mmCIF file of all heavy atoms in Angstrom:
data_model
loop_
_atom_site.group_PDB
_atom_site.id
_atom_site.type_symbol
_atom_site.label_atom_id
_atom_site.label_comp_id
_atom_site.label_asym_id
_atom_site.label_seq_id
_atom_site.Cartn_x
_atom_site.Cartn_y
_atom_site.Cartn_z
ATOM 1 N N PRO A 1452 -2.791 16.458 -0.705
ATOM 2 C CA PRO A 1452 -3.193 17.611 0.110
ATOM 3 C C PRO A 1452 -2.218 17.865 1.252
ATOM 4 O O PRO A 1452 -1.443 16.989 1.649
ATOM 5 C CB PRO A 1452 -4.547 17.156 0.661
ATOM 6 C CG PRO A 1452 -4.398 15.680 0.817
ATOM 7 C CD PRO A 1452 -3.460 15.221 -0.288
ATOM 8 N N TRP A 1453 -2.291 19.067 1.771
ATOM 9 C CA TRP A 1453 -1.555 19.442 2.971
ATOM 10 C C TRP A 1453 -2.556 19.941 4.013
ATOM 11 O O TRP A 1453 -3.419 20.758 3.708
ATOM 12 C CB TRP A 1453 -0.545 20.551 2.667
ATOM 13 C CG TRP A 1453 0.628 20.074 1.867
ATOM 14 C CD1 TRP A 1453 0.716 19.973 0.510
ATOM 15 C CD2 TRP A 1453 1.885 19.639 2.391
ATOM 16 N NE1 TRP A 1453 1.955 19.497 0.152
ATOM 17 C CE2 TRP A 1453 2.688 19.282 1.285
ATOM 18 C CE3 TRP A 1453 2.418 19.516 3.676
ATOM 19 C CZ2 TRP A 1453 3.993 18.821 1.422
ATOM 20 C CZ3 TRP A 1453 3.716 19.052 3.821
ATOM 21 C CH2 TRP A 1453 4.489 18.713 2.700
ATOM 22 N N TYR A 1454 -2.386 19.443 5.243
ATOM 23 C CA TYR A 1454 -3.258 19.836 6.331
ATOM 24 C C TYR A 1454 -2.435 20.515 7.416
ATOM 25 O O TYR A 1454 -1.291 20.151 7.661
ATOM 26 C CB TYR A 1454 -3.977 18.615 6.927
ATOM 27 C CG TYR A 1454 -5.131 18.132 6.085
ATOM 28 C CD1 TYR A 1454 -4.905 17.397 4.919
ATOM 29 C CD2 TYR A 1454 -6.443 18.424 6.429
ATOM 30 C CE1 TYR A 1454 -5.967 16.964 4.130
ATOM 31 C CE2 TYR A 1454 -7.505 17.992 5.649
ATOM 32 C CZ TYR A 1454 -7.249 17.271 4.505
ATOM 33 O OH TYR A 1454 -8.303 16.856 3.723
ATOM 34 N N LYS A 1455 -3.058 21.495 8.061
ATOM 35 C CA LYS A 1455 -2.423 22.227 9.153
ATOM 36 C C LYS A 1455 -3.197 21.926 10.431
ATOM 37 O O LYS A 1455 -4.430 22.001 10.442
ATOM 38 C CB LYS A 1455 -2.468 23.733 8.871
ATOM 39 C CG LYS A 1455 -1.937 24.619 9.982
ATOM 40 C CD LYS A 1455 -2.098 26.087 9.586
ATOM 41 C CE LYS A 1455 -1.571 27.017 10.667
ATOM 42 N NZ LYS A 1455 -1.778 28.453 10.314
ATOM 43 N N GLN A 1456 -2.466 21.568 11.485
ATOM 44 C CA GLN A 1456 -3.112 21.290 12.762
ATOM 45 C C GLN A 1456 -2.504 22.192 13.833
ATOM 46 O O GLN A 1456 -1.353 22.001 14.242
ATOM 47 C CB GLN A 1456 -2.957 19.824 13.160
ATOM 48 C CG GLN A 1456 -3.743 19.459 14.411
ATOM 49 C CD GLN A 1456 -3.634 17.982 14.763
ATOM 50 O OE1 GLN A 1456 -2.626 17.339 14.499
ATOM 51 N NE2 GLN A 1456 -4.687 17.422 15.368
ATOM 52 N N GLU A 1457 -3.275 23.175 14.255
ATOM 53 C CA GLU A 1457 -2.833 24.038 15.335
ATOM 54 C C GLU A 1457 -3.009 23.298 16.658
ATOM 55 O O GLU A 1457 -3.803 22.350 16.756
ATOM 56 C CB GLU A 1457 -3.610 25.347 15.307
ATOM 57 C CG GLU A 1457 -3.336 26.154 14.042
ATOM 58 C CD GLU A 1457 -4.137 27.436 13.963
ATOM 59 O OE1 GLU A 1457 -4.980 27.678 14.836
ATOM 60 O OE2 GLU A 1457 -3.917 28.201 13.014
ATOM 61 N N LEU A 1458 -2.280 23.731 17.651
ATOM 62 C CA LEU A 1458 -2.248 23.047 18.935
ATOM 63 C C LEU A 1458 -3.655 22.860 19.502
ATOM 64 O O LEU A 1458 -4.398 23.828 19.656
ATOM 65 C CB LEU A 1458 -1.381 23.824 19.921
ATOM 66 C CG LEU A 1458 -1.083 23.121 21.244
ATOM 67 C CD1 LEU A 1458 -0.288 21.850 21.002
ATOM 68 C CD2 LEU A 1458 -0.330 24.061 22.188
ATOM 69 N N GLY A 1459 -4.001 21.608 19.767
ATOM 70 C CA GLY A 1459 -5.293 21.307 20.367
ATOM 71 C C GLY A 1459 -6.475 21.383 19.426
ATOM 72 O O GLY A 1459 -7.628 21.254 19.863
ATOM 73 N N LYS A 1460 -6.214 21.565 18.131
ATOM 74 C CA LYS A 1460 -7.312 21.694 17.179
ATOM 75 C C LYS A 1460 -7.272 20.561 16.165
ATOM 76 O O LYS A 1460 -6.357 19.773 16.115
ATOM 77 C CB LYS A 1460 -7.246 23.053 16.492
ATOM 78 C CG LYS A 1460 -7.435 24.226 17.465
ATOM 79 C CD LYS A 1460 -7.571 25.530 16.721
ATOM 80 C CE LYS A 1460 -7.850 26.673 17.705
ATOM 81 N NZ LYS A 1460 -8.005 27.982 16.990
ATOM 82 N N ARG A 1461 -8.302 20.505 15.350
ATOM 83 C CA ARG A 1461 -8.382 19.452 14.344
ATOM 84 C C ARG A 1461 -7.616 19.857 13.092
ATOM 85 O O ARG A 1461 -7.465 21.051 12.800
ATOM 86 C CB ARG A 1461 -9.856 19.173 14.011
ATOM 87 C CG ARG A 1461 -10.567 20.305 13.292
ATOM 88 C CD ARG A 1461 -12.072 20.138 13.309
ATOM 89 N NE ARG A 1461 -12.655 20.506 14.572
ATOM 90 C CZ ARG A 1461 -13.943 20.393 14.857
ATOM 91 N NH1 ARG A 1461 -14.785 19.908 13.956
ATOM 92 N NH2 ARG A 1461 -14.425 20.745 16.042
ATOM 93 N N PRO A 1462 -7.130 18.894 12.322
ATOM 94 C CA PRO A 1462 -6.434 19.226 11.068
ATOM 95 C C PRO A 1462 -7.387 19.880 10.074
ATOM 96 O O PRO A 1462 -8.554 19.504 9.979
ATOM 97 C CB PRO A 1462 -5.968 17.863 10.552
ATOM 98 C CG PRO A 1462 -6.005 16.957 11.733
ATOM 99 C CD PRO A 1462 -7.130 17.449 12.591
ATOM 100 N N GLN A 1463 -6.854 20.849 9.331
ATOM 101 C CA GLN A 1463 -7.646 21.521 8.305
ATOM 102 C C GLN A 1463 -6.831 21.637 7.032
ATOM 103 O O GLN A 1463 -5.630 21.925 7.078
ATOM 104 C CB GLN A 1463 -8.091 22.911 8.774
ATOM 105 C CG GLN A 1463 -9.112 22.865 9.914
ATOM 106 C CD GLN A 1463 -9.772 24.204 10.165
ATOM 107 O OE1 GLN A 1463 -9.073 25.191 10.333
ATOM 108 N NE2 GLN A 1463 -11.085 24.241 10.193
ATOM 109 N N LEU A 1464 -7.500 21.450 5.908
ATOM 110 C CA LEU A 1464 -6.845 21.543 4.606
ATOM 111 C C LEU A 1464 -6.390 22.968 4.348
ATOM 112 O O LEU A 1464 -7.138 23.924 4.553
ATOM 113 C CB LEU A 1464 -7.822 21.116 3.515
ATOM 114 C CG LEU A 1464 -7.296 21.186 2.091
ATOM 115 C CD1 LEU A 1464 -6.328 20.039 1.835
ATOM 116 C CD2 LEU A 1464 -8.448 21.155 1.090
ATOM 117 N N ILE A 1465 -5.134 23.117 3.898
ATOM 118 C CA ILE A 1465 -4.651 24.447 3.530
ATOM 119 C C ILE A 1465 -4.387 24.566 2.036
ATOM 120 O O ILE A 1465 -4.547 25.649 1.458
ATOM 121 C CB ILE A 1465 -3.380 24.841 4.326
ATOM 122 C CG1 ILE A 1465 -2.266 23.803 4.156
ATOM 123 C CG2 ILE A 1465 -3.714 25.068 5.780
ATOM 124 C CD1 ILE A 1465 -0.936 24.254 4.720
ATOM 125 N N ILE A 1466 -4.004 23.503 1.391
ATOM 126 C CA ILE A 1466 -3.761 23.526 -0.041
ATOM 127 C C ILE A 1466 -3.660 22.081 -0.525
ATOM 128 O O ILE A 1466 -3.313 21.189 0.254
ATOM 129 C CB ILE A 1466 -2.476 24.322 -0.393
ATOM 130 C CG1 ILE A 1466 -2.412 24.642 -1.893
ATOM 131 C CG2 ILE A 1466 -1.233 23.580 0.072
ATOM 132 C CD1 ILE A 1466 -1.331 25.666 -2.249
ATOM 133 N N ASP A 1467 -3.994 21.865 -1.779
ATOM 134 C CA ASP A 1467 -3.849 20.528 -2.351
ATOM 135 C C ASP A 1467 -3.439 20.641 -3.812
ATOM 136 O O ASP A 1467 -3.552 21.710 -4.426
ATOM 137 C CB ASP A 1467 -5.122 19.698 -2.206
ATOM 138 C CG ASP A 1467 -6.360 20.360 -2.827
ATOM 139 O OD1 ASP A 1467 -6.217 21.349 -3.568
ATOM 140 O OD2 ASP A 1467 -7.484 19.894 -2.551
ATOM 141 N N ILE A 1468 -2.929 19.553 -4.350
ATOM 142 C CA ILE A 1468 -2.504 19.534 -5.743
ATOM 143 C C ILE A 1468 -2.826 18.172 -6.329
ATOM 144 O O ILE A 1468 -2.756 17.158 -5.638
ATOM 145 C CB ILE A 1468 -0.992 19.863 -5.866
ATOM 146 C CG1 ILE A 1468 -0.605 20.102 -7.327
ATOM 147 C CG2 ILE A 1468 -0.131 18.771 -5.240
ATOM 148 C CD1 ILE A 1468 0.782 20.711 -7.493
ATOM 149 N N ARG A 1469 -3.212 18.190 -7.596
ATOM 150 C CA ARG A 1469 -3.481 16.936 -8.292
ATOM 151 C C ARG A 1469 -2.360 16.673 -9.274
ATOM 152 O O ARG A 1469 -1.627 17.585 -9.652
ATOM 153 C CB ARG A 1469 -4.846 16.994 -8.972
ATOM 154 C CG ARG A 1469 -5.954 17.110 -7.957
ATOM 155 C CD ARG A 1469 -7.350 16.966 -8.535
ATOM 156 N NE ARG A 1469 -8.331 17.152 -7.470
ATOM 157 C CZ ARG A 1469 -8.769 16.188 -6.688
ATOM 158 N NH1 ARG A 1469 -8.331 14.946 -6.853
ATOM 159 N NH2 ARG A 1469 -9.660 16.435 -5.735
ATOM 160 N N SER A 1470 -2.255 15.434 -9.719
ATOM 161 C CA SER A 1470 -1.067 15.010 -10.457
ATOM 162 C C SER A 1470 -0.998 15.580 -11.862
ATOM 163 O O SER A 1470 -0.010 15.377 -12.552
ATOM 164 C CB SER A 1470 -0.992 13.488 -10.503
ATOM 165 O OG SER A 1470 -2.144 12.959 -11.129
ATOM 166 N N ASN A 1471 -2.028 16.303 -12.304
ATOM 167 C CA ASN A 1471 -1.968 16.876 -13.642
ATOM 168 C C ASN A 1471 -1.325 18.275 -13.657
ATOM 169 O O ASN A 1471 -1.257 18.912 -14.708
ATOM 170 C CB ASN A 1471 -3.375 16.926 -14.259
ATOM 171 C CG ASN A 1471 -4.357 17.692 -13.412
ATOM 172 O OD1 ASN A 1471 -4.121 17.941 -12.233
ATOM 173 N ND2 ASN A 1471 -5.479 18.075 -13.993
ATOM 174 N N VAL A 1472 -0.890 18.747 -12.485
ATOM 175 C CA VAL A 1472 -0.197 20.037 -12.414
ATOM 176 C C VAL A 1472 1.087 19.871 -11.617
ATOM 177 O O VAL A 1472 1.219 18.950 -10.821
ATOM 178 C CB VAL A 1472 -1.064 21.139 -11.787
ATOM 179 C CG1 VAL A 1472 -2.304 21.394 -12.616
ATOM 180 C CG2 VAL A 1472 -1.449 20.773 -10.365
ATOM 181 N N GLY A 1473 2.047 20.779 -11.849
ATOM 182 C CA GLY A 1473 3.323 20.678 -11.158
ATOM 183 C C GLY A 1473 3.469 21.631 -9.996
ATOM 184 O O GLY A 1473 4.303 21.416 -9.126
ATOM 185 N N GLU A 1474 2.632 22.703 -9.991
ATOM 186 C CA GLU A 1474 2.756 23.686 -8.924
ATOM 187 C C GLU A 1474 1.417 24.387 -8.733
ATOM 188 O O GLU A 1474 0.650 24.587 -9.683
ATOM 189 C CB GLU A 1474 3.830 24.725 -9.265
ATOM 190 C CG GLU A 1474 4.078 25.739 -8.155
ATOM 191 C CD GLU A 1474 5.220 26.698 -8.476
ATOM 192 O OE1 GLU A 1474 5.740 26.655 -9.601
ATOM 193 O OE2 GLU A 1474 5.583 27.481 -7.590
ATOM 194 N N LYS A 1475 1.157 24.747 -7.493
ATOM 195 C CA LYS A 1475 -0.061 25.488 -7.175
ATOM 196 C C LYS A 1475 0.266 26.480 -6.069
ATOM 197 O O LYS A 1475 0.967 26.134 -5.120
ATOM 198 C CB LYS A 1475 -1.162 24.521 -6.726
ATOM 199 C CG LYS A 1475 -2.507 25.164 -6.446
ATOM 200 C CD LYS A 1475 -3.526 24.091 -6.102
ATOM 201 C CE LYS A 1475 -4.877 24.667 -5.784
ATOM 202 N NZ LYS A 1475 -5.859 23.588 -5.438
#
Side-chain angles (χ1 to χ4, degrees):
Chain A
W1453 288 86
Y1454 283 77
K1455 175 182 180 182
Q1456 186 177 31
E1457 296 178 355
L1458 189 63
K1460 296 189 176 181
R1461 68 195 78 183
Q1463 292 193 308
L1464 179 75
I1465 56 170
I1466 194 168
D1467 57 12
I1468 191 168
R1469 295 189 182 273
S1470 59
N1471 57 343
V1472 298
E1474 184 176 6
K1475 183 176 179 180

